[in-house]
Amino acid sequence: MSDDTLTIDEIVENFEFLGDWEERFTYVLDLGKRLPEMDEDDMVEANRVHGCQATVYFKPTVIDADPPVIHFDATADAHIVSGLIAILLTMYNDRTAEQILAVEAEPLFEKMGLEEHLSPTRRNGLHAMIKRIRAIAAHVLAGDLPQQEATP
Amino acid sequence: MMEYDVPTQADNAILTFDVVNVRAAFPILHQQVHGKPLAYLDSAATSQKPTCVIEAIDDYYRRYNSNVHRGVHKLAEEATHEYEQARVKIARFIGSPSHTQIVYTRGTTESINLVASAWGDANVGEGDEVLVTHMEHHSNIVPWQMLCKRTGATLVVAPIDKTGTLVMDAFERQLTERTKVVAVAHVSNALGTINPIERIIELAHGVGAVVVVDGAQAVPHMQVNVEALDADFYAFSGHKMCGPTGIGVLYGKADRLEAMGPYQGGGDMIKSVTFKHTEYNDVPYRFEAGTPNIVGGIGLGVAVDYLTGVGMDKIAAYEHELLEYGTAALQQIDGLRLIGTADRKAGVLSFVLDGIHPYDMAPILDRQGVAVRTGHHCAQPVMDFFGVPATARASLAFYNTRAEIDQLFVALKKAKEMLA
């Protein structure tokens, strides 16, 4: 994240201060604007998340450290989806597999009043992305570092 | 009411159509969503249901639920009678010469798949061509692609122009003696274009092709007469015309249906069965294996009665004026681009806003009580043609009002403001 000072707890807290849906919606849009731009070279079919109304690209990279950490790059053409991705990455980005598996996205999204966006019927790719993040973490934890992973 | 610059607006139909009375028949319309009055502008996805249809469904399950074509007891007789009477009403509604030419299906999609399988497999072969248009719904593309894959035939696509109108010269040139099927929408779901279906059928018949019409977006909005059109097959869905979901119709010319083998095997589609041989039932039952959607058929019959009572010509005239009003309204929004501007259109307003993704727009409209569809509308080739990932689509029905279009207008202004 470009704004490293913002933790997920702070984001959740900020949501608690926000009033009506309009303020919350605008805040999600703002978070989306902070999402770092994805390298154009990575915005390719192989990294495309399908089944979305928006065009979403998602690329995980396992960084060889001890223990390894997992880095995610992602972007969307719809601002609301970018905002949701930004929240997601605040939870999961550059964490170890163990840390990733310890985070449950659903209750946090619920606290922010955004749980509806996680529903598979929303077709915004978030649901698929979370499943994918957890699957990669599970692989890493099991010691079988994934090769070039297929997209979620 | 807002003041838009509505061209050549003769609002005779709007002034004479008793929309207040019509709306009184649709309980679902009278509610608030997110604290705002509901403006349901998504009838191309599915229409709402009048009380008479809802009550017919209730009445069936409370009073005479029973399987059809089987029992000889009182309930079974009444269920069979009502279910078959509905078939007669539907036949009359679309100008089918006989109720035996009305095949009940699950909907337009199944109707088209039925033709592609039962007729297509027997009549289409290697070197043959299936001609579709660039504006088709996936359900009028994929079944034909599958047929082509099975048989070695080729799928040919007739082009559209920038307004979303079928290019008739090109279409005519693409028709050859190799063309076995022309599969075309009467009205485009994503663009609203009304195709010159009579001319298309005439031209197709000129080369001996069979014409399969996707009428899902036409039958709910205009008087359709399948015999006058001379369509070989005509498919439509109950749920888009005030009927229940899960029921649809395939109309076919009598000789075409007669010559077709079955679609699925099972009960009710047979005359006699031994382990060596099965004698298939007569048309249309040959194509209706298993216990059908009985209450769906009955409900659709009631919907047809209801639409007839309101009057299809009145509905068409009213919706046309509403479309003109809506078109004028949307054109006043800076940066709004209408997708689909054919001369002859049904009540579909597909659009994009400059620099705004439809997915971002949708929740804002929803919060303003406005229900529209966003996405590719199961017509990805149309989206590709216009170079957009998706559109927002407001689709009109005869129970909509100018006030609801005003509500959409205000909501769009709000979306622009928030997403600027």
Side-chain angles (χ1 to χ4, degrees), chain A residues 42 58 63 109 121:
Chain A
D42 287 333
F58 171 82
I63 295 165
F109 272 75
T121 57

Side-chain angles (χ1 to χ4, degrees), chain B residues 26-321:
Chain B
F26 291 83
I28 204 169
L29 298 177
H30 308 280
Q31 65 173 305
Q32 299 211 325
V33 291
H34 305 300
K36 301 275 166 54
L38 167 69
Y40 185 78
L41 300 173
D42 197 17
S43 291
T46 196
S47 69
Q48 296 304 346
K49 321 302 173 200
T51 303
C52 56
V53 170
I54 298 166
E55 284 177 349
I57 294 167
D58 183 84
D59 182 45
Y60 168 78
Y61 282 121
R62 283 180 192 280
R63 205 168 53 74
Y64 64 101
N65 170 47
S66 187
N67 214 330
V68 291
H69 307 147
R70 287 163 174 87
V72 286
H73 54 81
K74 175 80 173 78
L75 299 191
E77 273 171 10
E78 184 163 359
T80 304
H81 177 77
E82 291 300 320
Y83 181 67
E84 288 304 327
Q85 267 311 107
R87 201 191 296 269
V88 173
K89 289 176 194 172
I90 295 161
R92 205 179 300 137
F93 185 66
I94 60 160
S96 168
S98 163
H99 65 278
T100 60
Q101 290 165 258
I102 301 297
V103 181
Y104 280 129
T105 64
R106 281 190 294 136
T108 308
T109 299
E110 189 177 49
S111 298
I112 294 170
N113 276 282
L114 197 166
V115 181
S117 292
W119 184 88
D121 282 341
N123 293 283
V124 175
E126 204 168 342
D128 290 340
E129 291 179 354
V130 177
L131 182 55
V132 299
T133 82
H134 204 118
M135 73 176 85
E136 297 310 312
H137 188 283
H138 294 164
S139 65
N140 206 20
I141 299 173
V142 182
W144 303 113
Q145 254 170 357
M146 290 162 68
L147 173 68
C148 288
K149 213 168 173 187
R150 289 197 300 271
T151 60
T154 307
L155 191 76
V156 180
V157 184
I160 54 176
D161 68 16
K162 282 185 306 201
T163 67
T165 306
L166 182 63
V167 182
M168 284 303 283
D169 297 353
F171 173 78
E172 235 180 299
R173 279 197 303 276
Q174 285 168 314
L175 279 173
T176 69
E177 73 281 359
R178 288 188 301 279
T179 314
K180 282 286 175 311
V181 188
V182 172
V184 60
H186 194 161
V187 172
S188 153
N189 75 307
L191 301 166
T193 310
I194 303 176
N195 278 316
I197 202 72
E198 282 178 63
R199 181 75 184 134
I200 288 169
I201 292 171
E202 197 185 333
L203 289 168
H205 285 169
V207 298
V210 159
V211 183
V212 184
V213 183
D214 166 2
Q217 301 291 347
V219 177
H221 303 292
M222 60 184 74
Q223 189 73 62
V224 170
N225 187 308
V226 288
E227 198 181 23
L229 289 176
D230 201 23
D232 298 283
F233 296 101
Y234 197 102
F236 56 99
S237 298
H239 73 96
K240 293 191 199 289
M241 50 189 288
C242 301
T245 52
I247 187 80
V249 169
L250 174 69
Y251 157 84
K253 279 187 177 168
D255 53 343
R256 300 269 179 223
L257 291 175
E258 212 52 69
M260 276 158 60
Y263 173 49
Q264 292 176 329
D268 218 25
M269 52 79 73
I270 51 91
K271 271 186 179 151
S272 65
V273 176
T274 67
F275 283 112
K276 283 216 168 67
H277 180 71
T278 293
E279 194 73 29
Y280 300 127
N281 205 341
D282 294 331
V283 168
Y285 309 109
R286 188 187 303 163
F287 309 110
E288 298 176 354
T291 293
N293 183 352
I294 302 164
V295 73
I298 294 169
L300 181 53
V302 175
V304 158
D305 281 344
Y306 173 77
L307 290 172
T308 306
V310 178
M312 289 312 295
D313 288 338
K314 281 187 191 159
I315 286 173
Y318 176 76
E319 287 182 2
H320 179 72
E321 285 175 16

